[in-house]
Amino acid sequence: MSDTTHAGLTIEITPGVAIPAHLVGEVQSKLAYVDERIRAAEVAPSGDRITLQVQAEEDTPQLQAELDEKVQRVIDTMVKGAFKPKIQVLEDHLQRPTPYNQDPMQELVARGEVSQEATGMFSLGPLVTRLIDYFEDQFLGLADAFDANPYRFPTLIPAKYLERVNYFSAFPHSLSFVTHLREDLDVIDEFAQHAACDQHGLNTPPDSFAQVQALLSPAVCYHLYFSLADQPLPNGRLAATAVGSCFRYEAINLASLERLWNFTMREVIFVGPKDYVLKNRENARQHMSQVLEETGLAYRVESANDPFFIGEFRKQAAFQSAFQLKFEIRARLPFEDSTLAVGSYNYHQDFFGRHLNISLPDGSPAHTGCVAFGLERIAFAFLAQYGLDVRDWPASVREAVHG
Ligand code: AMP
Ligand code: ZN
């Protein structure tokens, strides 16, 4: 079924199997990667209808058939045989009263506090920056509580390292590749004279670019594990902290400050024996529980899974859930009655220890875990709950931001 609108076509697809409620969001976010012509995708909450906005001149049976086949493939792979994970709630402060219930984006833009450079790329003004600095102070306090050593990591990450930790099969959809012009005078001259942008981007022959050796880093803690690879872990345990730019290409899911291509993550990272990592992950959660109470944020901590790509999703998500590997801090967004992950508590077992050959004094592979916060996200969630008028903010935040 379809009809034509000025923005393109609306196409409806009936899933071969109904999408259960717990997978509606997961499937919807993956539809962004199904076909370049899809401009928007929505799975009905009941899971029995998918609505696509498609950029195409005319609706043809072929277009319908192509989209239908790809969408059904996603559903078959993600839904068939999936079981509902038991959501474990470790903390529930979702109903903490907060004064604001608008989408803060409009006011942020009007005040020059947020300005969009392109899809998923934003500049932030003084108020939001100070608010992020406030949260950074809290995260540095968390790092201090563990005597975590500070590190600085590059924004680029070598392809060969990501390959070693199976990143390409787990998260291919969100990768951002980096290249440069081939070291060839003709290629560089040609580029210098003719490079120009059209509405789709930079217009350059693809063979001008060198083979990809580096990508933009999707997370901070990977760099620490890479720096520890292929050697015994000094002292048998390590607590570290770092902040860095991270990149996840989220296609049409990129929207406001909620979901960015280029964002900033602060991590506190633990490497060592299993009980050291698990105990510190739990201690970090308890420390943050007090911090978040002081900031007044309404949130819940609950079990979660990483956004694995379609083929890997079912198995990996079930594994994470069974072994309680990931918990998210989900802040309330009152304006849309939903929640947004502002941070996560992660345990990777000995995955990185095995794949990167990081060994403990007894020769066994090291275990790793990290606590990760999205800086733009936590500021956005706070503003969605408290608004832009600092007089309405909890005293501790107001004083830190305004002196
Ligand atoms: P994760 O490693 O996926 O648990 O990410 C850690 C934190 O980074 C999340 O809880 C978010 O706060 C933040 N984050 C992840 N992806 C994005 C994104 N696309 N845009 C903004 N923040 C993000
Ligand atoms: Zn991490």
Side-chain angles (χ1 to χ4, degrees):
M1 192 182 101
S2 73
D3 67 73
T4 311
T5 67
H6 64 280
L9 306 169
T10 302
I11 292 190
E12 288 204 352
I13 291 178
T14 306
V17 278
I19 301 162
H22 73 278
L23 288 177
V24 162
E26 300 277 6
V27 170
Q28 179 168 301
S29 68
K30 295 302 180 313
L31 295 177
Y33 306 97
V34 160
D35 192 290
E36 285 175 318
R37 292 168 293 191
I38 297 176
R39 306 317 310 159
E42 199 189 337
V43 179
S46 49
D48 55 4
R49 198 178 65 253
I50 290 173
T51 309
L52 304 176
Q53 305 298 331
V54 179
Q55 195 72 53
E57 287 302 312
E58 60 170 333
D59 186 18
T60 62
Q62 194 193 347
L63 175 70
Q64 289 265 347
E66 278 175 23
L67 293 175
D68 196 76
E69 187 276 324
K70 283 169 144 175
V71 169
Q72 302 294 0
R73 198 157 15 119
V74 174
I75 295 167
D76 279 357
T77 317
M78 291 182 73
V79 172
K80 275 192 187 160
F83 67 94
K84 187 172 185 300
K86 205 171 160 305
I87 299 293
Q88 239 197 311
V89 178
L90 301 186
E91 291 173 56
D92 193 348
H93 306 290
L94 216 47
Q95 297 315 321
R96 198 169 260 166
T98 56
Y100 196 73
N101 59 12
Q102 306 294 306
D103 180 348
M105 264 318 258
Q106 229 180 340
E107 203 180 336
L108 284 167
V109 172
R111 286 223 218 160
E113 281 291 338
V114 165
S115 101
Q116 182 166 9
E117 289 194 358
T119 308
M121 300 177 218
F122 290 90
S123 297
L124 304 178
L127 182 69
V128 184
T129 302
R130 288 193 184 104
L131 184 58
I132 285 180
D133 287 346
Y134 164 79
F135 282 109
E136 264 285 71
D137 278 348
Q138 312 308 309
F139 303 143
L140 288 170
L142 172 74
D144 269 354
F146 296 94
D147 282 331
N149 287 326
Y151 282 77
R152 291 183 65 81
F153 299 124
T155 299
L156 301 181
I157 198 159
K160 64 176 190 302
Y161 277 133
L162 287 180
E163 181 191 22
R164 233 177 128 177
V165 297
N166 296 350
Y167 204 90
F168 296 150
S169 53
F171 306 105
H173 53 301
S174 56
L175 294 168
S176 303
F177 302 90
V178 175
T179 182
H180 51 82
L181 293 176
R182 285 168 38 222
E183 297 92 332
D184 180 297
L185 191 58
D186 297 331
V187 168
I188 298 173
D189 273 346
E190 172 74 13
F191 178 86
Q193 283 164 34
H194 300 292
C197 293
D198 62 20
Q199 76 270 29
H200 304 296
L202 188 57
N203 224 334
T204 314
D207 65 359
S208 313
F209 296 116
Q211 195 171 355
V212 170
Q213 289 162 344
L215 291 89
L216 293 171
S217 194
V220 171
C221 62
Y222 286 47
H223 292 280
L224 181 73
Y225 311 143
F226 297 148
S227 77
L228 299 171
D230 300 316
Q231 52 186 313
L233 181 67
N235 307 319
R237 59 191 56 197
L238 174 65
T241 188
V243 65
S245 285
C246 294
F247 302 81
R248 295 184 189 171
Y249 180 68
E250 309 228 10
I252 53 171
N253 299 325
L254 295 165
S256 81
L257 287 188
E258 279 180 57
R259 207 164 287 286
L260 305 171
W261 188 356
N262 179 171
F263 62 99
T264 322
M265 214 192 277
R266 160 68 64 181
E267 293 205 37
V268 181
I269 308 157
F270 304 108
V271 187
K274 174 180 179 175
D275 36 336
Y276 167 80
V277 172
L278 278 175
K279 195 163 142 283
N280 280 344
R281 180 177 75 156
E282 174 57 16
N283 289 348
R285 184 183 68 75
Q286 288 179 12
H287 180 112
M288 283 312 295
S289 176
Q290 287 189 355
V291 168
L292 294 173
E293 182 171 350
E294 207 167 293
T295 64
L297 203 72
Y299 73 97
R300 179 153 71 189
V301 175
E302 63 183 29
S303 53
N305 57 262
D306 283 312
F308 298 101
F309 199 53
I310 298 159
E312 294 269 308
F313 177 81
R314 198 156 37 86
K315 202 177 75 204
Q316 301 264 34
F319 185 82
Q320 281 191 319
S321 157
F323 291 95
Q324 303 186 357
L325 301 186
K326 188 175 190 81
F327 292 92
E328 281 180 339
I329 306 168
R330 301 197 65 92
R332 190 154 62 92
L333 295 183
F335 70 91
E336 55 180 29
D337 198 20
S338 68
T339 62
L340 180 67
V342 297
S344 61
Y345 302 106
N346 305 286
Y347 171 47
H348 316 115
Q349 301 175 308
D350 61 357
F351 178 85
F352 291 103
R354 274 186 292 114
H355 284 259
L356 296 170
N357 187 24
I358 309 167
S359 53
L360 295 176
D362 67 1
S364 66
H367 289 239
T368 61
C370 69
V371 182
F373 303 97
L375 301 189
E376 295 83 0
R377 280 235 186 133
I378 200 161
F380 178 76
F382 179 88
L383 292 165
Q385 295 181 6
Y386 283 90
L388 274 70
D389 187 342
V390 293
R391 288 170 301 187
D392 293 336
W393 292 8
S396 57
V397 190
R398 187 178 60 232
E399 283 156 19
V401 167
H402 266 257

